[in-house]
């Protein structure tokens, strides 16, 4: 997928309510070439904040796939 198409794809994921919060950073050759943060993180039922670069996400089983892919591409 080309980097220009990421915005629409990520907004569709949030819009279709597949996830409530999302943060993506893409690096190429060691430099950040893209970043996007969408959604709101729920603090409690009456309070939420927008997702930012500083938002901490809980690691889930899916993170293993990304780590594996990233490691394979290092070599």
């Amino acid at each position: 997928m080309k980097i220009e198409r990421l915005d629409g794809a990520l907004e569709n994921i949030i819009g279709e309510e597949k996830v409530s919060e999302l943060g993506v950073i893409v690096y190429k050759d060691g430099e950040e070439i893209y970043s996007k943060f969408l959604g709101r993180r729920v603090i409690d039922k009456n309070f939420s904040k927008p997702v930012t670069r500083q938002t901490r996400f809980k690691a889930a089983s899916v993170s293993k796939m990304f780590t594996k892919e990233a490691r394979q591409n290092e070599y």
Side-chain angles (χ1 to χ4, degrees), residues 59-73:
S61 294
V62 72
S63 64
K64 295 175 191 132
M65 292 184 291
F66 293 112
T67 303
K68 179 181 178 231
E69 183 67 25
R71 295 289 306 200
Q72 286 178 338
N73 290 329

Side-chain angles (χ1 to χ4, degrees), residues 16-71:
E16 294 171 3
E17 297 181 8
K18 292 181 181 177
V19 297
S20 60
E21 50 193 55
L22 177 73
V24 175
I25 302 174
V26 177
Y27 288 87
K28 183 176 182 180
D29 299 325
E31 292 193 36
E32 183 179 315
I33 61 168
Y34 179 86
S35 64
K36 183 85 170 186
F37 305 93
L38 296 166
R40 298 189 66 82
R41 57 191 171 113
V42 177
I43 308 303
D44 64 42
K45 67 179 185 173
N46 298 314
F47 185 70
S48 66
K49 288 185 175 182
V51 174
T52 68
R53 184 176 290 270
Q54 288 73 38
T55 300
R56 297 197 181 240
F57 296 94
K58 292 181 180 178
S61 294
V62 72
S63 64
K64 295 175 191 132
M65 292 184 291
F66 293 112
T67 303
K68 179 181 178 231
E69 183 67 25
R71 295 289 306 200

